[in-house]
Amino acid sequence: MYRFLLTPRWWGINLFVVLAIPFCVFMGSWQLGRFEDRAQAHREAEEKPVVSTEPPAPVGELLPVDKVTSGRVAEATGTYEDQFLVPARVVGEREGHYVLTLLRQSDGSPALPVVRGWLPGAADPVEAPAPPKGEVSLSGVLQAPEHTRSPGVYKDGGLPADQVGIISAASLVNLVPYPVENAWVTLTDGQPGNAGLTPVPPAATPDSGLDLKAFQNLGYTGEWFVFAGFVVFMWFRLLRRDAEVARDEALGIAPEGPPQPVTPEPSPGTGAEAPEDAAAENRRSPAPTP
């Protein structure tokens, strides 16, 4: 009854099933591994201190900033130039603004955004202390550039020319005539330029791993295993159908075919029989007498 399994059609079906199921299981396991990696990165980021305990390093060696270098203490040398205020920033449950000054680095690298500190109240460039003149050497905690989803950023727009809502190269490069690093540092206590300012606490590493992409990986995991189960289900369904057909043929039961169309019989006196009926009637009628 199962001789149909040796037909070319079933050879193709079995080959597809043998290849499809391991492939679906492999892809589901790979997506699950990606989710576990992101979850592990998230746990490590939560356990990692905000400020790294590793020794300070030149800022150029820590760029581009990533999950490993974010929080490292970076050193830089240069001169302070353009200054901006970053409004609507909260420190210690009080709202105020950051004082952001660009450091033109002595080695010719792009300017480094430096958050010298925080002041309470509305942003007013008159109240912000001017940066020290001449060349300075400083150290601060390296931070990743902000984006529109970063906590605390000002996204309403309409800011004056001396204010920025987001600390990133994209928001600063059009305000100054020189390139800007896509990172920033927040000064620690006792650094040149932060006298009279409250140091800004460094933020935790952004995008620690347990984000929307991680849950997408988890969803893809379920999809691949569902695909594997669907392949097995369809294989059993086709097998049962062909087995029933083979059993019926062995018992001499003809498969039910489509219903045959029924040709309607023509009505008397219509269609092609009408001339024949007229001729027969003429033969039965007597000839007229002259």
Side-chain angles (χ1 to χ4, degrees):
M1 186 173 65
Y2 292 97
R3 292 180 181 177
F4 61 85
L5 292 174
L6 301 177
T7 60
R9 173 174 173 268
W10 270 96
W11 274 106
I13 293 175
N14 291 332
L15 179 62
F16 172 78
V17 171
V18 169
L19 296 178
I21 293 178
F23 176 77
C24 292
V25 172
F26 168 77
M27 292 300 298
S29 302
W30 180 77
Q31 291 287 353
L32 181 60
R34 293 284 295 170
F35 171 77
E36 292 176 346
D37 291 343
R38 292 179 182 274
Q40 179 64 26
H42 178 72
R43 288 191 294 268
E44 292 176 355
E46 288 185 334
E47 297 172 357
K48 175 184 174 182
V50 176
V51 180
S52 176
T53 56
E54 297 186 34
V59 66
E61 297 180 3
L62 304 178
L63 297 177
V65 62
D66 55 21
K67 297 176 183 178
V68 177
T69 60
S70 178
R72 288 282 303 272
V73 177
E75 297 177 332
T77 301
T79 57
Y80 283 118
E81 288 203 17
D82 296 276
Q83 181 165 286
F84 302 91
L85 302 181
V86 187
R89 296 303 175 105
V90 177
V91 172
E93 298 183 357
R94 295 180 62 191
E95 184 171 310
H97 54 279
Y98 293 168
V99 179
L100 173 67
T101 311
L102 297 179
L103 182 76
R104 297 292 301 273
Q105 300 188 70
S106 301
D107 60 0
S109 299
L112 178 65
V114 177
V115 174
R116 295 166 49 216
W118 173 88
L119 287 174
D124 187 354
V126 177
E127 297 181 1
K133 297 184 180 298
E135 188 174 78
V136 296
S137 295
L138 56 85
S139 63
V141 182
L142 187 64
Q143 300 282 268
E146 295 180 336
H147 49 77
T148 55
R149 297 186 303 275
S150 298
V153 299
Y154 188 88
K155 297 177 288 188
D156 295 341
L159 293 175
D162 55 359
Q163 297 185 22
V164 291
I166 300 175
I167 307 174
S168 67
S171 62
L172 293 167
V173 70
N174 294 325
L175 303 178
V176 293
Y178 43 80
V180 180
E181 295 282 13
N182 197 29
W184 57 285
V185 298
T186 174
L187 293 185
T188 55
D189 288 328
Q191 295 299 311
N194 66 350
L197 300 171
T198 301
V200 174
T205 304
D207 300 330
S208 58
L210 199 59
D211 51 10
L212 179 60
K213 290 183 179 180
F215 291 103
Q216 285 179 342
N217 292 133
L218 189 61
Y220 295 151
T221 299
E223 287 182 0
W224 281 112
F225 286 123
V226 168
F227 291 158
F230 180 74
V231 171
V232 174
F233 168 75
M234 290 302 300
W235 184 85
F236 274 109
R237 184 174 181 180
L238 292 174
L239 177 68
R240 186 179 67 177
R241 188 192 66 178
D242 286 7
E244 291 176 352
V245 172
R247 182 193 59 190
D248 292 344
E249 291 179 350
L251 296 176
I253 302 175
E256 295 183 359
Q260 300 295 327
V262 178
T263 303
E265 296 183 0
S267 301
T270 61
E273 293 184 357
E276 295 180 1
D277 294 344
E281 183 67 24
N282 291 334
R283 286 194 298 271
R284 289 196 298 269
S285 299
T289 302

